[in-house]
């Protein structure tokens, strides 16, 4: 696994703390497991710090995290930069009135939901998840936010699987990642 | 909604930020929605600070958070006190080898899982969730940790529903909460 910026010594430790699990959730998939990163207190802190350093002076008022691993990285970033945290969830989890965005899976579709009123038109948002694969989930998150008039400034993930070309599904939105897994 | 005794001045604002949604997920249930708390950066920060002030310097080496809302509060606490964060998840979400603990629901049972090797014998652990109702989930979480030889120091939740007597299901382990809801 290669670190994106060879000049930052923190990245090597972050990259090596991620565990690869073969054949999960099905044969042929090499699953990038961030739970081992969360067990390395320095690597976890460095991960958050690297995002915070990038976003703290960018007038971002919303950090939207994709359920469930986006809930682990999003809130610490939101707290450090003084932004709201907005959870984007699977259907029927959020209790209040929601808007939904459907997106494609390999087989079939899924839906992502956000509470009505969580964000306001004109806000500047970050979308966070642990990993970008095909980009379908992040693309749905961007759509949800844009539908209510929010400007998505960037998508941020710990890991990218570049061969799946997820970056191309984000339209004109930039993507920032810490490690690339080939 | 009332706060626990010795009310810190920050708690009043935290209480007002929690939204009650009637009849979710089914008729008769008054759902305590913490997503509105997360929209107020000061209230969210105060929530985390209250837990951090209590647990910093107490040699806690593990913060275990219960999927999914425990993933929002657990990691910021873990980062601030220098502990590992361990996600406790619904079945088949964790990619590596797991141990499972079954627990009783109103109708039927559910299961909570933890990665093998995440927690070591002698680890001192905190269990974090947004809310304690009947205590069934927290009880299962404590059992998982104790089965691998960790000591559960305390359970910590933002909200308690005291009428459901969840505190009594914690096998004598202490519970710390910020607000009560009757």
């Amino acid at each position: 696994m290669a670190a994106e910026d060879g000049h930052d010594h923190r990245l090597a430790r972050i990259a090596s703390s991620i565990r690869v699990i073969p054949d999960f959730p099905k044969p042929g998939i090499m699953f990038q497991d961030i739970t081992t990163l969360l067990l390395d207190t320095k690597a976890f802190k460095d991960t958050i710090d690297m995002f915070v350093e990038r976003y703290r002076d960018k007038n971002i008022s919303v950090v939207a995290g994709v359920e469930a691993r986006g809930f682990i990285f999003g809130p610490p970033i939101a707290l450090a930069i003084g932004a709201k945290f907005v959870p984007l969830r699977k259907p029927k989890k959020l209790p209040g009135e929601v808007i939904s965005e459907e997106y494609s899976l390999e087989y079939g579709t899924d839906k992502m939901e956000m509470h009505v009123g969580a964000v306001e038109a004109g806000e500047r948002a970050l979308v966070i998840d642990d990993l970008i694969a095909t980009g379908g989930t992040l693309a749905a998150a961007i759509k949800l936010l844009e539908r209510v008039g929010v400007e998505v400034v960037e998508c941020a993930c710990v890991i990218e699987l570049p061969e799946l070309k997820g970056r191309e599904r984000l339209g004109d939105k930039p993507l920032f990642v810490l490690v690339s897994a080939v | 909604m009332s706060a626990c005794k010795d009310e810190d001045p920050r708690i009043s604002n935290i209480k007002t930020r929690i939204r009650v949604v009637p009849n979710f997920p089914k008729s008769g249930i008054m759902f305590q929605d913490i997503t509105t708390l997360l929209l107020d950066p000061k209230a969210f920060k105060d929530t985390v600070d209250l837990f951090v002030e209590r647990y910093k310097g107490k040699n806690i080496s593990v913060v275990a958070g219960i999927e999914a809302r425990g993933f929002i509060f657990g990691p910021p606490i873990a980062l601030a006190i220098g502990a590992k964060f361990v996600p406790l998840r619904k079945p088949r979400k964790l990619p590596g080898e797991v141990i499972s603990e079954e627990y009783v629901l109103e109708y039927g049972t559910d299961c909570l899982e933890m990665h093998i090797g995440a927690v070591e014998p002698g680890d001192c652990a905190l269990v974090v969730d947004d809310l304690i109702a009947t205590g069934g989930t927290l009880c299962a979480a404590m059992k998982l940790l104790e089965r691998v030889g960790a000591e559960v120091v305390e359970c910590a939740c933002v909200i308690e529903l005291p009428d459901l007597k969840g505190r009594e299901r914690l096998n004598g382990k202490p519970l710390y909460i910020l607000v009560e809801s009757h």
Side-chain angles (χ1 to χ4, degrees), chain B residues 43-57:
Chain B
F44 185 19
K45 180 180 187 305
D46 287 346
T47 301
V48 173
D49 286 351
L50 282 161
F51 291 119
V52 171
E53 287 162 20
R54 182 176 180 85
Y55 299 118
K56 196 167 201 163

Side-chain angles (χ1 to χ4, degrees), chain B residues 1 11-19 36-37 40 43 179:
Chain B
M1 188 177 292
I11 290 197
S12 149
N13 186 42
I14 290 169
K15 271 186 297 180
T16 63
R17 294 305 185 198
I18 297 165
R19 170 173 70 164
T36 42
L37 171 69
D40 178 344
V179 312

Side-chain angles (χ1 to χ4, degrees), chain A residues 19 21 24 31 33 35 38-39 41 44-45 68-69 71-72 75-76 79 82 84-86 89 92 95 115 118, chain B residues 19 21 24 31 33 35 38-39 41 44-45 68-69 71-72 75-76 79 82-85 89 92 95-96 115 118:
Chain A
R19 172 171 69 161
I21 306 248
F24 184 90
F31 189 91
D33 179 21
T35 67
L38 308 176
L39 299 178
T41 52
F44 187 20
K45 181 182 185 303
R69 289 181 290 265
F71 289 8
I72 296 174
L79 286 160
K84 312 192 254 199
F85 178 71
V86 175
R89 300 210 64 173
K92 299 186 284 293
H115 267 148
Chain B
R19 170 173 70 164
V21 182
F24 184 89
F31 189 90
D33 179 19
T35 67
L38 310 176
L39 298 179
F44 185 19
K45 180 180 187 305
R69 289 182 292 264
F71 289 8
I72 295 173
L79 286 159
K84 310 188 263 198
F85 178 70
R89 298 209 68 173
R92 294 176 297 282
H115 267 149

Side-chain angles (χ1 to χ4, degrees), chain A residues 46-82:
Chain A
D46 287 346
T47 299
I48 300 301
D49 285 351
M50 293 187 70
F51 290 120
V52 170
E53 286 161 21
R54 183 178 179 85
Y55 298 117
R56 72 175 357 138
D57 297 318
K58 302 280 199 309
N59 273 334
I60 289 174
S61 58
V62 177
V63 173
V66 180
E67 167 166 19
R69 289 181 290 265
F71 289 8
I72 296 174
F73 297 98
I77 297 167
L79 286 160
I81 69 175

